[in-house]
Amino acid sequence: MGVWKESFALVLLLTSLLTSSCQGQTASEALCAAQMNCGACISASPDCAWCNDESTVTDTRCRPVSAWIADDQCRNVTNPPSRLVVQRNTPLMDTVQVSPQQFNISLRPGETVSFDVYVRPAENFPVDLYYLMDLSYSMRDDLENLKLLGQQLADGLKAKTKDVWLGFGTFVDKTVDPYVDMAHLDDPCGRGLCRRPFPFINNLPLTPLSNLFVDKVNNESISGNLDFPEGGMDALMQVLACWDEIKWRHDARRIVVVATDAGFHFAGDGKLGGAVIPHDGNCYLDKDGAGGRYREDVAKRLDYPSIGQIN
C-alpha cells in the first residue's frame, strides 16, 4: 500500500460589522481602533495588536501591527502568533494508519495554519463490528432478512480483512409503562408470537468465529412494545461502556451497526416511566450467561442517555 499525503488549512473566521466616521482610516485601522481591551483586540483580526504600555500617546491602544512598527510608539506589544504543535506522531505501521495522531492548534480568528497528514491504508487491519438490532415487532421482516444474509455479511467483511471479529446484540425498551404493555409482558403480541421485551441483551460478544454470529442471529425471535420510539440509546450506552463484556480490541477499528426502523428515546423521556435519575454512563450488564444483559432494575431507575453521552 502506498502512503497518501493530504494537506489541510484550518481557518477560524470572525465577521464584524463596523461603521466609522473617521476620515483617512483604513478598514483594518478602524476595526482595530474600535476594540477597548486586549482580548477584543487580538480577537478582532490577525492584523490587530495591543499596546500594554498605558502611557502610549496614541488615541487607541489597539492598532494594526504595521502601525506600531512604523511609528515605534509602543515598546510592549501583544501580538500572539497562531501556532501548531505536534503532540503525538507515531510512525506509520500496520496498526497506525494516520500520522500525526495528535496536535494542538492555537489559532487567531481569521488566520490560517496549514499542516500535512499522511495516510497509509493497512492490509488486513483488525475490524470489530458489533451488530445491534431492534427486535420490536415492526422489525420482524428485517430479522428474517438478516437470518438470510448473516453468512454473506460475515463473508463480505472477511473479503476486506482477514482479521474481523463479529458481535451481536438486541434491544427493545425499558420494561415499564408506557413503553411496554405491562398487562401482557410475557406475550406482548398475543397468541405466543413474541418473546418478552427487554432493554438490551449482549447476545454474542465479539468473536473471530463467524459461525457463532450466524447461529445467534438464526436463533433470535421478535418481541414487541407500545410506543414508536425504541430503547436504542440504553443499548448503545451499554455497548460503548461495557468494554470487556463486549470484548472490544484496543488496536481494532471499532464499528457499531444499528438496525432499526424507529427513533430512539433519549434523556428526559425516562421520566414518563419513573426513570428520573440521569444516566451515569456506566456498564450495568448482569453477566448472567454468555454476554450478559442490561439489568432491568437499573433500566427502570436510570433515564435514557443523552446524545452527548453517546458521542
Side-chain angles (χ1 to χ4, degrees):
M1 288 287 186
V3 177
W4 303 339
K5 178 183 176 182
E6 298 289 346
S7 296
F8 297 87
L10 190 62
V11 183
L12 184 63
L13 298 177
L14 180 69
T15 303
S16 299
L17 179 63
L18 180 67
T19 302
S20 175
S21 59
C22 299
Q23 298 296 321
Q25 277 191 324
T26 66
S28 178
E29 289 172 335
L31 175 62
C32 298
Q35 312 310 315
M36 297 293 102
N37 57 65
C38 181
C41 179
I42 64 175
S43 297
S45 166
D47 295 331
C48 297
W50 180 261
C51 179
N52 293 303
D53 187 355
E54 296 182 2
S55 63
T56 180
V57 297
T58 58
D59 294 334
T60 175
R61 294 169 65 185
C62 184
R63 302 171 68 196
V65 177
S66 57
W68 291 124
I69 295 174
D71 58 25
D72 195 27
Q73 293 194 41
C74 184
R75 300 293 183 181
N76 185 5
V77 176
T78 295
N79 181 33
S82 295
R83 65 180 184 276
L84 182 148
V85 178
V86 176
Q87 296 177 314
R88 184 158 59 92
N89 191 13
T90 304
L92 296 172
M93 60 184 73
D94 287 343
T95 56
V96 179
Q97 299 180 64
V98 179
S99 178
Q101 295 80 40
Q102 184 177 357
F103 44 81
N104 182 278
I105 298 176
S106 298
L107 193 61
R108 289 182 65 174
E111 202 157 39
T112 302
V113 62
S114 298
F115 55 95
D116 295 328
V117 173
Y118 296 87
V119 180
R120 187 186 69 181
E123 293 183 358
N124 296 318
F125 191 82
V127 172
D128 289 349
L129 187 144
Y130 193 89
Y131 199 95
L132 181 61
M133 187 164 193
D134 172 6
L135 284 190
S136 59
Y137 189 69
S138 59
M139 288 288 291
R140 60 192 183 281
D141 293 339
D142 301 272
L143 177 59
E144 294 306 314
N145 287 333
L146 181 60
K147 290 179 180 181
L148 295 174
L149 299 174
Q151 187 62 57
Q152 293 183 39
L153 174 63
D155 293 343
L157 286 168
K158 287 186 175 181
K160 300 297 183 182
T161 173
K162 296 178 182 178
D163 189 4
V164 57
W165 286 28
L166 293 172
F168 182 58
T170 53
F171 67 90
V172 183
D173 213 332
K174 297 181 185 293
T175 53
V176 293
D177 280 325
Y179 318 113
V180 299
D181 185 356
M182 296 299 293
H184 303 91
L185 194 61
D186 292 325
D187 188 14
C189 306
R191 296 175 295 168
L193 296 176
C194 297
R195 62 188 290 189
R196 189 182 194 274
F198 51 89
F200 166 67
I201 297 177
N202 180 26
N203 303 78
L204 179 69
L206 290 160
T207 174
L209 304 176
S210 59
N211 61 303
L212 295 181
F213 174 81
V214 176
D215 290 343
K216 283 292 183 181
V217 171
N218 289 339
N219 290 329
E220 274 307 309
S221 56
I222 208 71
S223 183
N225 63 331
L226 287 179
D227 61 344
F228 182 71
E230 317 296 5
M233 296 290 276
D234 269 344
L236 270 173
M237 177 58 76
Q238 295 306 292
V239 170
L240 300 180
C242 302
W243 188 280
D244 294 334
E245 290 78 7
I246 301 297
K247 298 192 182 302
W248 292 113
R249 293 180 292 172
H250 288 275
D251 60 347
R253 180 180 290 114
R254 297 176 290 278
I255 303 171
V256 180
V257 176
V258 181
T260 184
D261 62 351
F264 296 149
H265 284 297
F266 48 83
D269 289 352
K271 295 179 181 179
L272 295 173
V276 298
I277 302 174
H279 205 291
D280 56 16
N282 291 325
C283 176
Y284 289 103
L285 296 188
D286 61 10
K287 302 179 180 62
D288 181 17
R293 54 194 300 154
Y294 186 28
R295 289 169 45 193
E296 292 194 19
D297 62 315
V298 176
K300 292 176 181 179
R301 289 188 291 105
L302 296 184
D303 194 3
Y304 298 96
S306 67
I307 295 175
Q309 285 179 296
I310 297 299
N311 286 341

